[in-house]
Amino acid sequence: MDRRVFLAGSLAAAALPLVRASDFPSRPVRVISPYAAGGGPDVQLRQAGPVLGEILGQSIVIENKVGAAGVLAAQYVAQQPADGYTCLMGSNTHLIQKLLQPGLRFDPIGDFTPVSNLASSPTVLVVRADAPWRTARELIAGLKAQPAQSNYGSGGIGTSAHLAGATLASLAGLQVTHIPLKGSVEIAASLIRGDTQYAFPVAGTGIPQVQGGKLRALAVTSRKRLAQLPEVPTLQEVLGSELAVQESWFGLWAPARTPPAVVERLHAAVRQAAAQPALRASFEAVGNEAFADFVRSENRKWAAIIELAGITANS
């Protein structure tokens, strides 16, 4: 190791305040949500808030700071004191937006300390229920037979549906057009109208529409098949690429240089909350070190996906 790097790290560690886990928290903890109130991730966070507060012995105050696909919330938290009292609901969206817009005034890797993952959800490759394609391979063959005549929809540039759709097009060699819709709620309607031919809504919204007979599922972007759709293959099975494994996730991030004792206290609380029967089904807490490794690996993967598909902040 470079001696200068070692000394810099040692001095930085020495500069951190000595904090015991038992001293934290002594006042309410704020969690900044980049999602609109009532949205899926925001609802899950608010379900966990009271449980976390009871475990920590202080209130969890959830504040919505919506705008610029999560960028405003991230920039705000990155500038807060590194004491654990202001955290971010960080997600893969923050990695993607920084990759698409390198000039943004925050660094999802350097400006934050990952505390714990909370939940993740894959997307589902869907078509209209009466579409002629019954499998993902049939869809690929059908779109190849009519190049540059088909569209896929998403809730906007840089969303999980956008990247999944672009990944399928790139790996399968399709000539299709991306249609950014006003929001993810427009995906099903766009398919039913025939404006788009395929899409990748998140499982939480896509599966009910499949079960309700509006859409047909052809693949899922999880690593393993979903229990709700056991006959539907993974996109990785179809395409044979690790880049086809894509999940939207969110977790708790603290500002960089938050004392390790505080990070561990927060992580322990999340882990304990996730074990509660009321939250167990929707939350999955992992170790903060494992989560940090996961965030870094996800950053590399999304960078590879964006490069493969040639995605920019404007397309």
Side-chain angles (χ1 to χ4, degrees), residues 273-311:
Q276 300 289 327
L279 300 177
R280 190 179 301 148
S282 57
F283 285 90
E284 178 186 0
V286 298
N288 54 290
E289 291 184 4
F291 185 38
D293 290 340
F294 170 76
V295 171
R296 287 190 289 268
S297 68
E298 281 283 288
N299 197 55
R300 292 191 294 270
K301 183 178 75 174
W302 289 114
I305 290 168
I306 289 170
E307 181 178 4
L308 169 73
I311 296 172

Side-chain angles (χ1 to χ4, degrees), residues 79-271:
Q79 298 170 1
Q80 300 306 301
D83 54 13
Y85 286 99
T86 304
C87 296
L88 173 70
M89 191 179 185
S91 73
N92 59 303
T93 299
H94 293 110
L95 303 179
I96 293 167
Q97 291 303 321
K98 180 65 174 181
L99 290 166
L100 292 176
Q101 306 176 73
L104 291 176
R105 292 183 293 105
F106 80 99
D107 179 356
I109 303 299
D111 289 345
F112 297 95
T113 297
V115 175
S116 183
N117 198 21
L118 293 175
S120 62
S121 174
T123 58
V124 182
L125 169 58
V126 295
V127 295
R128 198 166 66 181
D130 62 353
W133 315 291
R134 305 199 70 84
T135 69
R137 290 186 174 87
E138 287 182 3
L139 171 66
I140 291 169
L143 298 183
K144 280 187 172 180
Q146 296 181 310
Q149 297 183 38
S150 300
N151 306 318
Y152 69 94
S154 81
I157 294 172
T159 61
S160 56
H162 176 202
L163 271 70
T167 299
L168 173 61
S170 298
L171 293 177
L174 305 177
Q175 296 182 43
V176 292
T177 300
H178 172 227
I179 305 297
L181 304 168
K182 293 181 179 180
S184 59
V185 295
E186 297 291 329
I187 288 177
S190 177
L191 288 167
I192 292 170
R193 287 194 306 266
D195 297 339
T196 55
Q197 282 61 57
Y198 75 87
F200 283 86
V202 294
T205 57
I207 290 177
Q209 292 166 335
V210 170
Q211 294 172 333
K214 294 182 179 180
L215 305 176
R216 177 185 298 149
L218 304 184
V220 294
T221 60
S222 49
R223 185 169 297 280
K224 298 180 180 179
R225 296 191 182 196
L226 301 180
Q228 303 97 313
L229 301 171
E231 303 303 317
V232 177
T234 67
L235 196 61
Q236 185 185 36
E237 290 177 58
V238 176
L239 299 176
S241 172
E242 179 70 15
L243 295 182
V245 179
Q246 299 180 15
E247 297 201 5
S248 296
W249 50 264
F250 64 86
L252 199 64
W253 293 1
R257 293 175 54 78
T258 297
V262 170
V263 173
E264 181 53 38
R265 175 78 172 113
L266 288 168
H267 165 65
V270 172
R271 184 172 54 195

Side-chain angles (χ1 to χ4, degrees), residues 33-46:
S33 169
Y35 302 97
D42 185 75
V43 169
Q44 288 182 289
L45 180 61
R46 290 180 184 278

